Amino acid sequence: MTTQKRRIQLNFFDTTCAGNNTTIGPWKDPKDASRNSKDRMDYYLWLARTAEKGKISSIFFADVYAGHEVYGGSMEATYAGGSQVGVLDPVVMIGPMAAVTKSVGFVVTGSSSYIKPYLLARTWSSMDHITNGRVAWNVVTSYSNSSARAMGQDSVVAHDKRYEAADEYMEIMYRLWEGCWGDGAQIFDVNKGSFGTAYDFSKIHKLDFQGKYHKLSGIHQTHPSPQRTPLLFQAGASKAGIQFAGKHAEGLFCGGSSIVRTKNYIKQVREVAVASGRSSDAVKFFLGITPIIGKTLGEAQEKFDTARKQAHVLGGLARFGGFTGVDLSPFPLDEPFEFKGELTDVGIHSAIENLKANPDIDQFGKERLWTPRKIGEIMAMGGDGVMPVGTPEMVADVFQKWFEEAGVDGFNVCYISNPQSYTDVVDLLVPELQKRDIFWKDYAVPGGTMRENFYAKQGQWQLPDDHPSAQYRWNAPEPKTCTDPLEGFRWNSPKVDLTTLLKTQEYAVRPLGEKLDTQENVSEVVVVA
């Protein structure tokens, strides 16, 4: 049996907004797309075509609600910086982008905290239909108080409870996508029944769910899409996030300041995946990276220097506050921090130590003392992510090093300027990666579903059989252990073999309507008509 060669996958990382994404300030260039065209469909059609030309796996759309208002207790710095504001709904872009492409996928972010499961299921199924199965769901729980208040809540739900609620949310999604409709329900048979039958209702099943956090009663409105469940992405580095990812995610967007840290993170997630009954390679890891590429080192360095001059320091400090909850507005921009052991000091010091772990931070002045200005500049240039600067060969070396040594499977590519960063990846970096035979020359399944190209396996349109969603499929052979008290009584549960049960446990079997003697020592009651 031939083992398939492992190859890098690349995603373009963007936000549907009239502004910048991970970098804050490139809009200062009059030619930058962020100030000219990101609120017009022409930009997104160009992005889709460019991605497909470069054999990019997907366009990954991040999304946030409300914005960051920690810095100075206001969103003024966020709006002044022009990053992730003027936001449009990414869902609107997907259909037209799919219409001008055949193979590139689309990752769309959706919050389990604020979108009702029934609505999200219908929206993502709709996108999966109109793209011929080229959609993924980036599952987020939403972390900011500003988004909670915008959604009518006083504050964001506690971190671990958000993930607990999200885990229950995922069960509902699987039951809607995998269980409500059996195969072959859509028949349009003019001869079936007295007046013909469009949909065979015997193969369509209502979901009644009552959980700790969610309640739902209804039939999934949309018939099964090409993937049924869209490809599942997630991002999370906390203990709860790792548990969630190991159980549910197929793709994982990870930050990384060092190969050692990232390798350890990957190991933790894989251990959880195995403990959840999945294979050790069930999850693929995509590192956030901001490559700055030039035909010469001098050209690349000039691009870096230009971006650094454009960096919006206050916008960077607003993002820092949103990510850490620490407001640096009381501190003078150019005064070095003096740590005196106060609670605020702990948060700042911890954040600085994380930034220091990334060797690319040295590009911002290794000898410079740590001040609010330095932090703001770094955050405005993309934060603590990997930022290789150099020729295509030099940048490809960095991609290959992380691919081989850290074990990441691909990269979410962030831009420093738009459109140039994207075209540099397609025209300069991709050919170099292809020359090294670590990037495909064409999609694994041209015109296939996103999941088929993700796994590089034709026919793999459905979630793998070892994924927890499999137990909720309409034709699941036998349900796995489940805390749902109704499991075993649903339409597709296997018939109970009373003889076998009675041999293994003590049961009280009573005809329907006969009262059970509560003094009997039994472990369960089986009611038979």
Side-chain angles (χ1 to χ4, degrees), residues 10-15 20-24 26 43 47 56 58 60 62 84 253-255 286-293 319 380-388 395 399 411-425 429:
L10 301 178
N11 302 323
F12 279 170
F13 189 61
D14 208 342
T15 305
N20 299 124
N21 184 20
T22 55
T23 50
I24 309 174
Y43 168 78
L47 183 62
I56 304 301
S58 77
F60 191 122
Q84 297 180 348
F253 179 16
C254 56
F286 291 77
L287 180 77
I289 192 167
T290 308
I292 302 179
I293 313 164
R319 177 168 293 169
M381 289 284 283
D384 66 346
V386 181
M387 182 179 285
V395 172
F399 276 69
F411 299 85
N412 276 3
V413 181
C414 310
Y415 64 82
I416 201 78
S417 67
N418 191 343
Q420 187 171 53
S421 291
Y422 287 141
T423 56
D424 284 347
V425 168
L429 178 61

Side-chain angles (χ1 to χ4, degrees), residues 278-334:
R278 305 174 69 191
S279 65
S280 60
D281 60 352
V283 183
K284 293 184 183 295
F285 299 84
F286 291 77
L287 180 77
I289 192 167
T290 308
I292 302 179
I293 313 164
K295 293 178 181 177
T296 65
L297 177 57
E299 182 183 303
Q301 189 62 49
E302 184 179 349
K303 290 178 181 179
F304 173 83
D305 293 341
T306 298
R308 189 174 173 186
K309 289 174 185 174
Q310 294 169 343
H312 198 290
V313 171
L314 293 185
L317 290 173
R319 177 168 293 169
F320 177 86
F323 286 178
T324 65
V326 177
D327 180 10
L328 294 183
S329 65
F331 298 86
L333 277 178
D334 295 306

Side-chain angles (χ1 to χ4, degrees), residues 498 502 507-511 514 516 520 522 524-528:
L498 292 180
L502 291 171
Y507 286 87
V509 180
R510 294 288 183 270
E514 184 175 322
L516 172 70
E520 290 188 68
V522 294
E524 190 169 337
V525 179
V526 178
V527 180
V528 293

